[in-house]
Amino acid sequence: DGGITQSPKYLFRKEGQNVTLSCEQNLNHDAMYWYRQDPGQGLRLIYYSQIVNDFQKGDIAEGYSVSREKKESFPLTVTSAQKNPTAFYLCASASGGNTGELFFGEGSRLTVL
Amino acid sequence: KQEVTQIPAALSVPEGENLVLNCSFTDSAIYNLQWFRQDPGKGLTSLLLIQSSQREQTSGRLNASLDKSSGRSTLYIAASQPGDSATYLCAVRYVSNYQLIWGAGTKLIIKP
């Protein structure tokens, strides 16, 4: 089955630690995205990538980093510089380039202890 | 400023009713508009994508319309069921910046 797989589903982190969230897709999509969702707030774009080896900052990129070495993979690292990292993180990919239909993974919930 | 507004923020109706969710946007120069549903603690599921050149899209009991001139889209749900309970979000891709602008969502509760 084609889709987007995010792991881990739940992650706990101590303050000062970096963590990496995985996002893998087998839909052959060029564009991939990372969003953050907080309770009572809309989705906010962290980073996006339209093609391998290229990515751009979204609205709230500070404290995060990404890589896009393979078409299928777009991992997100939440660094210790992110001041309030507890949130629900959603990965997505788009068909038909940057204007195509968006599909999401199941999300990863990060809690900082 | 390009915005997307969803009203109401929450809606509770008895099972079996037909209902309409609203999505308004501020600029008619759009590529497309997409409707999603999100169950608690889950990712978003794409329901319907309407391209700029289209007036409506249908999938099962769902029908989404697009009126660019008035900056509105509606999601019509026929014969609602308790399983339709979820948060429904719309997102608009504007021509000017390619990125999706998100509404805050409508939380829908269907009472058995």
Side-chain angles (χ1 to χ4, degrees), chain A residues 94-103, chain B residues 25 28-35 46-58 64-69 72-73 91-95 98 100:
Chain A
S95 64
N98 200 29
T99 59
E101 185 174 5
L102 202 66
F103 295 91
Chain B
F25 48 96
S28 62
I30 68 171
Y31 280 116
N32 55 47
L33 183 148
Q34 195 167 353
W35 283 94
S46 177
L47 297 174
L48 290 163
L49 171 72
I50 310 180
Q51 300 293 352
S52 177
S53 58
Q54 297 174 318
R55 294 298 300 270
E56 65 176 342
Q57 283 278 28
T58 298
S65 68
L66 176 64
D67 184 345
K68 289 190 299 179
S69 61
R72 284 192 62 199
S73 176
V92 177
R93 198 180 293 277
Y94 286 104
V95 170
Y98 282 97
L100 280 173

Side-chain angles (χ1 to χ4, degrees), chain A residues 48-107:
Chain A
Y48 64 101
S49 168
Q50 298 181 41
I51 198 167
V52 174
N53 292 323
D54 186 52
F55 49 83
Q56 286 79 41
K57 293 181 179 180
D59 301 319
I60 56 165
E62 185 176 350
Y64 300 97
S65 66
V66 293
S67 63
R68 187 82 187 279
E69 297 176 1
K70 298 187 299 181
K71 188 175 185 178
E72 301 80 17
S73 178
F74 191 41
L76 173 74
T77 297
V78 184
T79 75
S80 56
Q82 169 51 235
K83 294 178 181 175
N84 185 21
T86 295
F88 190 50
Y89 291 88
L90 289 158
C91 178
S93 67
S95 64
N98 200 29
T99 59
E101 185 174 5
L102 202 66
F103 295 91
F104 280 83
E106 284 294 299

